[in-house]
Amino acid sequence: MTSTAFTVVRESCSGITTHLRWFSSAAALVTRENRTEALMDRYEKCPARLQQVETLYQRFLLHLEDVPMESFPKERRDQVHEDYVQIMDMADDIAQRAREVLALRAGVPPTRAPLKTPVGLLTKLPSLDLPRFDGRLDKWMGFIGLFESLVDSREDLGPSQKLAYLLSVLDGEARGFVQHLPICDGSYEVARSLLTKRYHNQRCLADAHIDQIMDLPIVSNAPQLRTELLNPLLIATNALNRLGLPVAQWSYLLLRIVLKRLPVSMRTRFEQEHARDEASPLPTFDQLLTFLENECRTGDVMVAVAPVGPSSPRPTNQRRTAQTTPKGKASPRFAVAQAARPDCRFCKSQGHRTAQCQVFVALHVSSRRRIAKARGWCFSCLGDHYQRACPDTHPCPICGGQHLKVPTLK
């Protein structure tokens, strides 16, 4: 680490914090009808301020790789990124309110600003099944690989069209980095550069995917095997391979790590299939992957082929259940089955609901609010309904408001 790099990073961080206070003060004027003149004065100064913020942020990204993690920890790095995104969000709010004021003064009806994602442009482009990316490092390698294959490599698309596709699949922090860019040819390379500098950090990516392997859960049954263990394992090892790390040389190490995550019955079947004498070589990680894939396929077949026989409920029982169950209500047995499989609408994982998602809760409050608003979630419970229709009537114990009660992070 050079002292110059640390000084630049620290000064850039301090400068962005100063601008954040200025924009927070300006954004507080948006809802105050009696402070319109003060808001317009701040609005005129916004472009120069945004240029200074952009310069500071680019310097911060440029020198951050030369500063070790112990000198500038991850929490402070993430906070700078969140401050930058928050500044851009507040600048958008200030600009929208200023446009409404100017429209009223000109005697014309105020109009809402167009969406940052160019919906009109996208409707004229071919429909592509693209992955989404919200800023999670463990998702970056898979996302950028598919995006480059499906969009960036296409010669029939211009830069502005590629930017339209890019903006349409970004969420959360990742979208905040580039949502201020105008839709034009020159902005595409700028957007790619911003995202690459933020997320394509080899050290951070390697750490994220190794942690993904080390944090694999202990599965207790076959249905959990694919979603909770095999898929994350393949994503992590493929990403580490793309980063140029010697994954093939870690074969037996990976084998031992994964075997400890399997139930005893499954581990016994693997050992029986690959029993070795003292002169035989060690079982390989590829053999374990093949075994796990076969186990998953067997589980899929067992679920798909439901047993029909004497143990199955008689038709009369089915009719009786249909008659005694109120219309629109699930039977108790079905309700229990549903409750056992909660689904997170943010990280798409099984085992927890969105309100208990550690990834979602860890985001800045402004990011959580923006994501919930964009996806039409209830602010109280993150359900798929309006807040006024939310069954959760318990107010926040701190402020008395109706909003998400964030659990304590572990």
Side-chain angles (χ1 to χ4, degrees), residues 387 394-403 405:
Q387 188 173 19
H394 300 289
C396 172
I398 298 176
C399 68
Q402 288 294 332
H403 59 78
K405 271 66 82 176

Side-chain angles (χ1 to χ4, degrees), residues 343-386:
D343 183 33
C344 176
R345 303 170 68 202
F346 181 72
C347 71
K348 308 302 182 185
S349 298
Q350 298 288 336
H352 64 265
R353 299 188 183 277
T354 312
Q356 284 77 45
C357 178
Q358 297 291 299
V359 178
F360 183 75
V361 170
L363 296 175
H364 191 276
V365 63
S366 62
S367 299
R368 296 200 300 268
R369 181 181 295 275
R370 183 172 62 254
I371 292 171
K373 183 178 179 181
R375 301 188 184 181
W377 296 347
C378 170
F379 282 3
S380 293
C381 70
L382 302 182
D384 190 16
H385 53 256
Y386 291 110

